[in-house]
Amino acid sequence: MLITHDTRCALDTVVDLVNTAPEDGAAPDALPDVAALEDFVQNHDISDVGTLSEFDLSAVRKIRGRFAAVFAAPDARAAAGLINELVAAAGTTPRLTDHDGYDWHVHYFAPGASVADHLAADCGMALAFFVVAGEQERLRRCEAPDCRRAFVDLSRNRSRRYCDSRTCGNRLHVAAYRARRKEAAG
């Protein structure tokens, strides 16, 4: 599957956005205030965003939950329905642009759109490309028992199981190794 630079950026953004949500009731929200949202926007080079407000924060948290549902969708039909709702509500207006040193690419959000609509349109379309390509199963959650972070499996054989092989994957492999050694020692 060919993934363009802007689609990859949108995928990274949607994964990072979903992963800002608390995994359980005890964990803090990684988007606790407008300042955190401003940092998120800046860190992800989200263009055409004006001054952010509490309204924007609330709207972004709402679509974050809807994106999380896409990663949890049981099949392509369910994912497509969720993505269609997100993109339609954002009022998409596809247009070609070449700004900030980037070559030609497509923006799906309408000019002057809120940051939530911007994210819903661009990130929603990036996820839509995976559904269209029959690759919805690449939108995953980490299989580590104590981690449910979202990720996009871009491995050649669709075999990635953990959000990060150096943390979650390695931790589970070390635990399995220790269990085998303990069992062998008797």
Side-chain angles (χ1 to χ4, degrees), residues 14 17-18 31 40 56-70 82 85-87 89-90 114-124 127:
V14 73
L17 178 63
V18 169
L31 283 180
F40 183 88
D56 292 308
L57 178 62
S58 176
V60 168
R61 285 178 176 164
K62 183 177 177 183
I63 65 156
R64 175 181 68 184
R66 297 177 81 192
F67 278 129
V70 172
L82 293 164
E85 289 173 11
L86 274 162
V87 171
S114 70
V115 68
D117 286 345
H118 178 137
L119 291 168
D122 277 359
C123 295
L127 296 175

Side-chain angles (χ1 to χ4, degrees), residues 48-59:
D48 295 334
V49 174
T51 303
L52 299 173
S53 67
E54 287 292 330
F55 177 82
D56 292 308
L57 178 62
S58 176

